[in-house]
Amino acid sequence: MANAKATLSRMSQQHPLIVRLLNSIDQLDPERLEELWNAASRDDVTIEESIIRYGLANETQIAKAYADHYLVPLFDPPADAPPPVDPAIAKVLPNRLCRDHLIAPLSDDGNVLEVAVFSPDSLLLADEIKLLTGRQMRPMFSPLNVIERLLNLLYEEGSWSTTTASTTTTNFEEVDESEDLDSETAQEATEVIHLDQAPPPGRDGRIIRYVNGIFEQALQTGASDIHIEPYEDECRVRLRIDGMLTEITPPPLPLLNSVVSRLKVLSKMDIAERRVPQDGAIALRSTDRRVDMRVNTCPTVFGEKIVMRVLDKSALPHDLSQLGMDARQFRDLSESIRSPHGLMLVTGPTGSGKSTTLYSCLNELNDGETNLCTVEDPVEFKFGGINQVQTRAKVGLTFASALRAFLRQDPDVIMVGEVRDGETAEICMRAALTGHFVFSTLHTNDALSSVTRLKDMGIEPFLLASTLRLLIAQRLVRRLCVECKVPYQLDVESCRRFGIPRDVPVFRAGGCSRCRDTGYKGRLAVFEVIRINQAIKDAIQANASVGEMQRIAVADGMKLLSHAAAAKVIEGLTSIEEAISLCSEQ
């Protein structure tokens, strides 16, 4: 008993009110106080929620204890009868305010607004509610499950008697192509999350609602990545929109672990493992739109950081003409990919659209008469008519081993996700020499630097000259908002540097509501397309420098990245600042 009293004293110091209230009416079992306290700390929940979970008191008893203490009414209508609330009352308070603070409007006589509250902290909203509505707030304590059902009824046109079980069972959809997900196949999502369906009531519903809200905001803004970052005293959530990270409202710090656990469960990760990075996938459906996400966790000193890459198949170009190349570049690409054999490489940093270009080329060739095989890590988009293989290093399925297998599969076109080592490069060369056309990517700063990189991997110059057909370098720059871009005259030095005629007007970013006051809306690709002609082949065999090969390409009418960026500025599609940021890499 002495230990129980000591525990009660310690709990009272941390959360004195509810413990004292329930203890005074003999609702708390002194023998279970230590277990209750440990559970609240371990599960990162409020003491009220822990009390309910352990059956020491129910939601109504907690609400009544608060109501008696503060001398305010209790609102607890029966679940089997419609609540005495007019649905029109929802217009008085915004949905976000009610969701964030777990309150619900009940009635409004023009002077006094009755509000159901669960926590005493909500009593502090009286001034904010008066500022919003002009009404005095009259609180009524209510069980949490009642408030959740009210919010569902008022703001989501749901049913008053909606239960957790019925909502939970319809929140997921089984996918036909589901696989056994172990650590090697965690890239495949087996369930589709329906963002249009209401989450269940209770604490779990709050977590699901917040996570779904992040997903919806990312889809609405066209974000390419979602970052969830823990710090010592706060957490941060950022969306990468048009290549720039933009901060959005984070969850309360006590809910961060629950949000991370929710995302790990959806991604089929081990929620108990927090010491090593993990990979997974999530599939979403919003109305008729299906979007996949590639998820990665990384342990930091303050917790696990999560980054989710948004993979929207509907955003992929359906044909090569939508990539944004000029007439010469489009012709060189279209003719090269139809070569009976050879090697095409696409270069650029992560997130520059290399996969989009490769998939567009594969779609162009996917005519039913061509055997298309790909080996990727990971398989970001799945297409009918293309044989796609996911690498699994732990069982020996690497780029090189998959390529060897492909050569016995009678392929016409092979796509390799990335040339990472000399072994993969050598097999790509061998395939290109033996009657196959090979696509792949490489990390270099420009197109012709691929030649130097492959030589460093041990590939002989004569092999490169014989197999290379096309080299592409690409970057993504922000597109000027058509509603607010501002024309101006470029200075003489910039005109000279970028080869822009002095009398050609260019545009700079303005700012409006359509583009979130950034002046940019969306992104466009800037390409350097180098077709390997005889002059460049001779230069490769002669071990010419990259600069010399670039001069040969320019003399033949090909555009380097800087020239292509200047052309986009002249067309009014992007700003000179974006062109400068691209050219500064070279």
Side-chain angles (χ1 to χ4, degrees):
M1 182 62 70
N3 291 337
K5 291 182 178 179
T7 301
L8 177 60
S9 176
R10 186 169 79 250
M11 294 178 69
S12 298
Q13 294 172 7
Q14 298 289 332
H15 203 302
L17 184 57
I18 190 60
V19 174
R20 287 204 303 265
L21 291 178
L22 291 178
N23 189 65
S24 66
I25 57 177
D26 297 328
Q27 292 295 338
L28 290 181
D29 181 0
E31 300 298 328
R32 300 186 65 186
L33 287 176
E34 184 69 31
E35 182 180 2
L36 177 68
W37 179 257
N38 292 336
S41 301
R42 182 186 66 249
D43 299 337
D44 192 23
V45 297
T46 64
I47 195 67
E48 291 97 337
E49 289 171 303
S50 195
I51 289 172
I52 294 169
R53 287 185 182 184
Y54 277 79
L56 301 180
N58 59 40
E59 295 187 8
T60 299
Q61 290 168 328
I62 292 175
K64 188 175 187 308
Y66 279 138
D68 293 343
H69 177 76
Y70 285 99
L71 302 178
V72 299
L74 175 70
F75 181 79
D76 187 20
D80 56 356
V85 176
D86 184 358
I89 195 70
K91 299 177 182 179
V92 178
L93 291 178
N95 183 13
R96 177 59 61 86
L97 177 71
C98 295
R99 294 289 185 192
D100 288 348
H101 297 281
L102 288 176
I103 63 175
L106 299 176
S107 66
D108 176 22
D109 64 4
N111 296 312
V112 176
L113 178 66
E114 288 188 334
V115 180
V117 301
F118 167 69
S119 168
D121 294 339
S122 300
L123 301 177
L124 302 176
L125 295 173
D127 290 340
E128 184 174 352
I129 288 177
K130 185 175 183 180
L131 183 65
L132 284 172
T133 66
R135 275 81 160 167
Q136 296 288 339
M137 171 182 166
R138 179 182 294 162
M140 299 180 72
F141 276 98
S142 182
L144 179 59
N145 61 352
V146 171
I147 293 178
E148 289 282 358
R149 294 205 305 272
L150 275 173
L151 293 178
N152 181 53
L153 175 69
L154 295 176
Y155 295 102
E156 297 182 6
E157 299 182 358
S159 169
W160 165 253
S161 59
T162 298
T163 62
T164 301
S166 63
T167 307
T168 303
T169 56
T170 59
N171 198 38
F172 298 107
E173 167 196 349
E174 291 296 328
V175 180
D176 293 336
E177 64 265 26
S178 62
E179 299 177 0
D180 179 26
L181 289 187
D182 53 21
S183 59
E184 289 294 334
T185 57
Q187 305 294 339
E188 297 292 334
T190 58
E191 293 171 327
V192 176
I193 304 168
H194 289 262
L195 299 181
D196 303 323
Q197 294 186 353
R203 175 185 171 89
D204 292 342
R206 293 175 62 193
I207 302 302
I208 294 172
R209 185 178 296 109
Y210 177 78
V211 171
N212 288 358
I214 294 178
F215 293 154
E216 290 172 347
Q217 196 163 350
L219 298 183
Q220 290 170 3
T221 58
S224 61
D225 299 89
I226 304 170
H227 294 240
I228 300 179
E229 305 163 330
Y231 296 98
E232 184 174 11
D233 300 318
E234 62 177 352
C235 60
R236 184 165 64 173
V237 179
R238 296 189 290 176
L239 305 180
R240 189 174 292 280
I241 305 171
D242 297 338
M244 309 297 290
L245 284 172
T246 302
E247 194 163 347
I248 63 172
T249 304
L253 193 58
L255 296 183
L256 177 61
N257 288 340
S258 298
V259 170
V260 171
S261 295
R262 166 70 177 166
L263 291 170
K264 292 174 72 173
V265 168
L266 295 178
S267 307
K268 303 300 179 185
M269 297 180 185
D270 182 358
I271 63 172
E273 180 56 76
R274 302 181 180 180
R275 300 165 297 174
V276 297
Q278 296 188 66
D279 290 295
I282 298 175
L284 309 175
R285 186 178 296 280
S286 179
T287 60
D288 295 331
R289 185 181 179 189
R290 160 72 184 263
V291 176
D292 293 302
M293 290 189 175
R294 192 174 73 217
V295 186
N296 176 266
T297 66
C298 182
T300 71
V301 292
F302 297 117
E304 289 181 287
K305 175 182 177 181
I306 292 185
V307 176
M308 292 170 277
R309 169 66 57 88
V310 181
L311 306 172
D312 187 0
K313 187 176 179 180
S314 64
L316 288 176
H318 295 291
D319 57 68
L320 295 181
S321 63
Q322 298 178 355
L323 288 175
M325 295 181 175
D326 64 27
R328 167 67 184 270
Q329 292 173 335
F330 175 71
R331 184 179 72 249
D332 286 346
L333 176 61
S334 299
E335 293 177 357
S336 297
I337 63 174
R338 298 191 181 279
S339 300
H341 55 83
L343 174 63
M344 185 186 94
L345 293 174
V346 182
T347 72
T350 300
S352 61
K354 299 188 298 296
S355 295
T356 298
T357 299
L358 289 176
Y359 283 132
S360 299
C361 293
L362 289 173
N363 274 332
E364 185 76 13
L365 299 174
N366 190 10
D367 53 9
E369 299 177 355
T370 306
N371 183 13
L372 304 171
C373 301
T374 76
V375 53
E376 307 169 60
D377 183 23
V379 175
E380 295 185 345
F381 301 101
K382 290 178 283 188
F383 296 90
I386 302 176
N387 305 289
Q388 297 173 271
V389 174
Q390 165 74 53
T391 61
R392 293 182 176 88
K394 289 186 179 179
V395 296
L397 184 57
T398 63
F399 283 118
S401 61
L403 268 172
R404 291 192 188 95
F406 281 168
L407 294 179
R408 296 186 290 273
Q409 292 279 319
D410 186 31
D412 297 305
V413 175
I414 300 173
M415 189 193 92
V416 181
E418 182 182 348
V419 177
R420 297 179 177 175
D421 51 51
E423 183 183 14
T424 305
E426 183 180 350
I427 301 174
C428 285
M429 293 296 168
R430 188 190 313 161
L433 282 171
T434 55
H436 310 93
F437 195 82
V438 181
F439 298 106
S440 192
T441 67
L442 200 62
H443 287 286
T444 60
N445 291 330
D446 54 70
L448 285 165
S449 292
S450 303
V451 175
T452 304
R453 180 80 178 94
L454 290 170
K455 287 179 181 178
D456 291 341
M457 291 183 180
I459 305 301
E460 295 293 337
F462 74 89
L463 280 177
L464 293 174
S466 302
T467 57
L468 287 178
R469 293 291 177 268
L470 194 74
L471 299 175
I472 298 177
Q474 67 181 81
R475 300 290 190 277
L476 294 178
V477 296
R478 291 185 292 173
R479 184 190 296 270
L480 284 169
C481 176
V482 296
E483 301 290 337
C484 63
K485 62 182 182 180
V486 180
Y488 73 105
Q489 201 68 37
L490 202 59
D491 62 87
V492 176
E493 174 59 26
S494 296
C495 286
R496 183 195 62 78
R497 178 183 176 186
F498 293 99
I500 298 176
R502 185 74 176 89
D503 58 344
V504 173
V506 296
F507 295 84
R508 64 161 61 99
C512 65
S513 58
R514 181 176 180 270
C515 61
R516 301 175 292 108
D517 293 319
T518 63
Y520 298 94
K521 182 69 174 178
R523 289 192 290 178
L524 56 93
V526 177
F527 293 95
E528 178 179 293
V529 179
I530 306 298
R531 193 169 187 176
I532 307 301
N533 56 25
Q534 189 58 49
I536 296 178
K537 288 182 180 181
D538 294 340
I540 292 174
Q541 293 201 59
N543 285 317
S545 66
V546 172
E548 186 174 345
M549 289 187 288
Q550 287 179 338
R551 285 190 290 272
I552 295 173
V554 171
D556 193 38
M558 304 178 202
K559 288 180 180 176
L560 303 183
L561 276 174
S562 58
H563 303 149
K568 301 296 184 184
V569 174
I570 293 173
E571 293 176 46
L573 298 177
T574 192
S575 65
I576 195 67
E577 290 79 14
E578 287 291 295
I580 291 173
S581 68
L582 183 151
C583 298
S584 63
E585 300 176 6
Q586 296 181 290

